[in-house]
Amino acid sequence: ELRDELLFRQPESSYLGDCPICCLPLSFNNNKSAIYTCCSKTICKGCEYANKLRQIEGRLEETCPFCRHPLSKDDEESNTNIMRRIEANDPHAMGHMGKRHWDEGDYGTAFEYLSKAAALGDAMSHFILGHMYSWGQCVETDKKKRLLHLEEAAIAGHPYARQSLAYDEQENERMDRAMKHLIIAANLGYDKAIQMLKNCYIRGHVSKEDFAASLRAHQAAVDATKSPLREEAANFFAEFG
């Protein structure tokens, strides 16, 4: 019961949090932000664009928008920066490195980094570990550990974890719990969740009032990630890359 109270509490923000410069929520669209290996900060494209303009106008060296460290010249320097952050126990750097190895199929190394990052509270690492325990990647399949990691990711504001948990509840015919997961994910601005809720509303699994409230909350969350500067940046990068 206490676990459910924590699990079904609406997070204040998604696991991505805010851009550390403009303090606006980060979008789930990866094309609208970038991770800088020098400080492991995820910076929105609006602030990246503003920094680029400042450098062009002042004929300045290209540096990180947040920490002002010179940008990496190649992959080797970028990896050195990440390892420096990992040595400083930065969970985001550990998670980033773990995901890279996971994407490459190096599950043993991925598990090592992701486990350390998850222990420090990194939501993305919890999410990936949940799937590693589901698919038996470098570990024995374990439903309990899978569920634990997905729940930890969901509590931290990871909507994809919510979606996975909603699927589980639907398969177990516990629709009330599935709807709670989808509503929380939709309220964070996750598009797939609002589409799933729409289908559930058509089938009568969610009330008109709850669906309407989620539509409003979803739109508000999406709108919160927008700004004139971010729109200007999107147009700039679309034209010039």
Side-chain angles (χ1 to χ4, degrees), residues 112-156:
E112 180 181 349
Y113 282 117
L114 293 171
S115 295
K116 292 179 180 178
L120 294 171
D122 186 63
M124 180 189 69
S125 297
H126 276 298
F127 175 68
I128 296 174
L129 285 169
H131 286 291
M132 292 183 76
Y133 278 110
S134 178
W135 299 328
Q137 296 173 330
C138 183
V139 293
E140 294 291 330
T141 56
D142 190 315
K143 291 183 179 180
K144 288 185 178 180
K145 289 183 178 179
R146 169 190 177 274
L147 181 61
L148 175 64
H149 283 294
L150 288 180
E151 286 186 347
E152 288 297 322
I155 290 169

Side-chain angles (χ1 to χ4, degrees), residues 62-135:
E62 288 190 326
T63 59
C64 169
F66 183 77
C67 69
R68 302 305 190 203
H69 188 280
L71 296 185
S72 302
K73 297 181 178 62
D74 49 39
D75 290 342
E76 182 178 355
E77 188 174 343
S78 178
N79 287 332
T80 299
N81 288 336
I82 295 176
M83 293 310 299
R84 188 180 296 116
R85 296 303 309 160
I86 289 174
E87 290 169 5
N89 279 333
D90 186 322
H92 300 301
M94 293 177 189
H96 179 73
M97 183 62 78
K99 184 179 185 303
R100 177 187 296 181
H101 284 285
W102 184 65
D103 288 337
E104 294 172 353
D106 182 3
Y107 300 129
T109 305
F111 184 79
E112 180 181 349
Y113 282 117
L114 293 171
S115 295
K116 292 179 180 178
L120 294 171
D122 186 63
M124 180 189 69
S125 297
H126 276 298
F127 175 68
I128 296 174
L129 285 169
H131 286 291
M132 292 183 76
Y133 278 110
S134 178
W135 299 328

Side-chain angles (χ1 to χ4, degrees), residues 10 183-190 194 210-224:
Q10 181 71 48
I183 287 171
I184 291 172
N187 291 353
L188 291 172
Y190 182 44
I194 206 69
D210 286 344
F211 180 52
S214 285
L215 280 173
R216 291 191 295 270
H218 171 269
Q219 189 61 55
V222 172
D223 289 344

Side-chain angles (χ1 to χ4, degrees), residues 163-196:
Q163 180 181 326
S164 295
L165 293 172
Y167 281 136
D168 288 352
E169 299 293 3
Q170 285 179 318
E171 288 180 2
N172 293 324
E173 298 184 352
R174 297 193 292 190
M175 297 304 295
D176 57 330
R177 295 174 66 87
M179 294 307 101
K180 287 180 181 180
H181 283 304
L182 291 179
I183 287 171
I184 291 172
N187 291 353
L188 291 172
Y190 182 44
D191 293 341
K192 182 67 178 294
I194 206 69
Q195 290 299 321
M196 292 175 68

